[in-house]
Amino acid sequence: MDKPFLYNQDFYGWTQQQAKALEQRLVMELDWQHLQEEIQALGRQEYRELVSRLSVLLGHLLKWEYQPEQRSRSWFLTIREQRRAIRRHLRQNPSLKSRIEEALLDGFEAGVDLALRETNLPLRTFPEHCHYLFDDAIANNFLCDTRQDWEG
């Protein structure tokens, strides 16, 4: 069956065919164009995962900092979970470290939106630009100390 046709009509079948061709080193059976596109998409997905986790972390750090009277165990645990997940993601994808600053900026925008949705605070409450350093944001003892148990 025509490789591009299979890619468009049965993506799962295409992946299985391509995996088999790779395993057996059948170079002529490989759909080079779509393989390249899919590999690039996998890389973008890893970056989006980092930004997504940073968005949640930064949004909760903003809530923690700017609405201290509403602090909760849930916020504490979300901050703890996201810090761990970001560190793990970077251990598994160390090349992403070259894009930390960009990811922090992208994540901050979405983090502000998260904080706005989950608080009654006006936009002007929050800084226009990320005022957290990446290493601080993921440090267990920064702003919300997640090295110990929750003490509300």
Side-chain angles (χ1 to χ4, degrees):
M1 183 175 280
D2 183 34
K3 292 177 289 250
F5 176 81
L6 187 59
Y7 176 85
N8 291 318
Q9 299 301 315
D10 182 3
F11 183 75
Y12 178 77
W14 175 85
T15 64
Q16 300 310 293
Q17 178 194 58
Q18 294 300 295
K20 186 174 182 179
L22 284 167
E23 178 183 23
Q24 296 176 358
R25 296 184 176 19
L26 300 173
V27 176
M28 298 304 292
E29 295 297 314
L30 294 174
D31 181 357
W32 292 101
Q33 177 188 346
H34 288 118
L35 280 171
Q36 176 192 1
E37 291 171 8
E38 291 304 319
I39 289 172
Q40 289 171 330
L42 289 171
R44 288 189 301 273
Q45 181 179 334
E46 294 304 320
Y47 176 76
R48 282 192 306 271
E49 172 76 14
L50 175 61
V51 170
S52 176
R53 294 214 174 263
L54 279 168
S55 298
V56 175
L57 172 61
L58 296 172
H60 278 76
L61 287 175
L62 289 167
K63 293 188 322 180
W64 192 270
E65 183 176 1
Y66 291 96
Q67 202 171 43
E69 70 281 359
Q70 296 293 322
R71 289 178 181 168
S72 68
R73 180 176 174 83
S74 174
W75 290 5
F76 171 86
L77 292 173
T78 298
I79 291 169
R80 178 182 163 120
E81 173 190 357
Q82 295 307 315
R83 285 175 170 164
R84 288 177 171 175
I86 290 166
R87 286 192 296 266
R88 184 174 45 252
H89 194 64
L90 289 174
R91 276 195 312 273
Q92 294 168 350
N93 300 279
S95 295
L96 279 174
K97 290 177 184 172
S98 68
R99 297 189 67 192
I100 288 293
E101 291 306 314
E102 179 185 357
L104 192 65
L105 294 175
D106 290 344
F108 185 73
E109 291 176 349
V112 169
D113 290 345
L114 182 151
L116 288 169
R117 271 193 314 276
E118 296 184 6
T119 68
N120 287 322
L121 300 173
L123 177 60
R124 67 180 174 277
T125 303
F126 303 109
E128 286 185 39
H129 305 286
C130 186
H131 63 292
Y132 304 130
L133 298 175
F134 176 80
D135 289 338
D136 288 341
I138 65 166
N140 289 331
N141 62 342
F142 177 74
L143 200 56
C144 172
D145 192 343
T146 54
R147 295 174 299 180
Q148 49 209 341
D149 205 0
W150 161 253
E151 294 178 19

